[in-house]
Amino acid sequence: MAGETFDRTLEDLGNIVHLEHVNVRVPDQQLATQFYVVALGLTRDPYLMVGLENMWINFGKSQFHLPTAAAQVLRGVTGIVIPDFDELPARLAHAAEKLKGTKYAYSVAADHADVTCPWGNHIRMHRPSPRWPRMELGMAFVELPVPSGTAAGIARFYTQIMNAPAKVVTNGSVAAEVPVGTAQKLIFRETTEPIMPYDGHHIAIYINDFSGPHHKMVERGILSEESNPYQYRFVDITDPESGKVMFELEHEVRCVTHPMYLRSLINRNPAQRQPTYVAGRDARVWA
């Protein structure tokens, strides 16, 4: 056949197609609103979990889920890309008084800001860049510290069990990187520092091959929950070669036929204010 040839493997995706949410419990929804909505400029979902028992926070196609209970802290950092990064420092400064007496803290650099929530969760806010193609607003990565010597086993788990093309990289330190969809990553970075005990927080992912990983987990006895026809869970990330547990992180695993897959999420424009209101600009412009 005549015509230009292409490397078609460049557009292949792994089995994990979407990193939907990070779930950590919060004891105070007022403080959570002040932090996630006012300071960060994200959006409370107006349709689901609108009571006092839980709060869903939208940003792009991903969310934070914040059930009301004793605080949980993700061991690591959640990376978020926002299109209005230049407005972020003013929001962070404005929120400081309302969040005084908590663990709230922040520092701003040229292309990112490191922010700590009132209970100690670390979030890194980024400008859009070629590092995250096709993303102007969303969850770019979740990065977690793991014990030295575990990155290779973690990469094998995601490659062999989850059918995701994970790899071990060295960029200052050793890490297992797991691509998710077109622009997201799970990163497991080795450290010699002490790692906090696991407190039950979780992430939610969608996968295309739903039954394959399930079968392998059942064989190995690492499935932790048969939730419903569209979802199951596991906690232990084990090395397929040794069977040893490399790290604990609950994964809420959903299929792409799940009714909520790529649900349309409302994302507000945090620059809108009553005194300076501009008609037609209530929603964020993002891609």
Side-chain angles (χ1 to χ4, degrees):
M1 180 181 293
E4 186 177 357
T5 59
F6 304 89
D7 182 356
R8 298 301 183 185
T9 65
L10 295 177
E11 302 304 321
D12 288 344
L13 298 181
N15 189 39
I16 308 176
V17 295
H18 185 44
L19 174 56
E20 191 208 47
H21 70 254
V22 168
N23 184 298
V24 290
R25 296 172 180 170
V26 299
D28 188 324
Q29 283 208 9
Q30 287 192 358
L31 286 178
T33 299
Q34 187 68 37
F35 177 74
Y36 288 96
V37 178
V38 179
L40 299 189
L42 310 180
T43 306
R44 177 163 190 173
D45 194 292
Y47 299 125
L48 295 175
M49 299 301 170
V50 297
L52 299 179
E53 74 283 358
N54 202 339
M55 178 188 297
W56 287 7
I57 297 292
N58 301 343
F59 49 104
K61 298 176 181 178
S62 295
Q63 296 180 315
F64 285 112
H65 287 187
L66 308 169
T68 306
Q72 291 176 326
V73 177
L74 178 83
R75 299 177 295 176
V77 59
T78 303
I80 297 177
V81 174
I82 58 171
D84 59 342
F85 182 86
D86 289 335
E87 282 70 55
L88 178 64
R91 292 200 299 264
L92 296 176
H94 181 74
E97 180 63 28
K98 294 289 182 64
L99 297 173
K100 187 164 57 177
T102 73
K103 294 183 179 180
Y104 176 67
Y106 68 92
S107 63
V108 180
D111 63 348
H112 72 275
D114 286 307
V115 190
T116 303
C117 91
W119 304 281
N121 282 285
H122 296 156
I123 298 168
R124 182 164 293 163
M125 311 291 285
H126 290 269
R127 294 181 185 275
S129 83
R131 294 172 62 189
W132 302 286
R134 309 175 202 177
M135 181 181 289
E136 292 186 10
L137 175 64
M139 187 186 298
F141 63 87
V142 172
E143 181 172 320
L144 303 141
V146 298
S148 296
T150 60
I154 291 171
R156 284 191 290 268
F157 174 85
Y158 282 95
T159 300
Q160 297 177 29
I161 306 301
M162 298 302 295
N163 301 329
K167 61 182 179 180
V168 176
V169 300
T170 303
N171 46 8
S173 58
V174 178
E177 290 193 353
V178 186
V180 175
T182 59
Q184 298 174 294
K185 285 183 180 179
L186 294 173
I187 304 169
F188 299 86
R189 191 168 302 282
E190 291 188 2
T191 181
T192 57
E193 297 295 321
I195 297 172
M196 292 191 305
Y198 179 53
D199 64 9
H201 54 269
H202 74 259
I203 63 172
I205 58 174
Y206 285 87
I207 64 175
N208 185 46
D209 176 10
F210 191 55
S211 63
H214 178 271
H215 178 70
K216 295 172 185 176
M217 289 181 204
V218 170
E219 280 187 332
R220 290 163 174 78
I222 59 174
L223 199 70
S224 62
E225 179 182 291
E226 294 279 16
S227 313
N228 55 53
Y230 306 104
Q231 177 183 301
Y232 52 83
R233 297 181 186 235
F234 71 91
V235 176
D236 293 342
I237 300 173
T238 61
D239 182 353
E241 291 186 0
S242 68
K244 293 181 179 179
V245 177
M246 300 287 100
F247 193 66
E248 290 179 300
L249 176 65
E250 185 173 60
H251 291 54
E252 184 177 308
V253 183
R254 296 176 175 181
C255 57
V256 295
T257 57
H258 192 289
M260 297 182 70
Y261 176 57
L262 292 184
R263 170 177 168 254
S264 181
L265 300 181
I266 298 295
N267 287 272
R268 69 188 181 91
N269 173 13
Q272 283 282 49
R273 298 287 188 275
Q274 185 176 1
T276 58
Y277 184 79
V278 179
R281 296 187 183 177
D282 289 348
R284 278 192 188 265
V285 177
W286 62 279

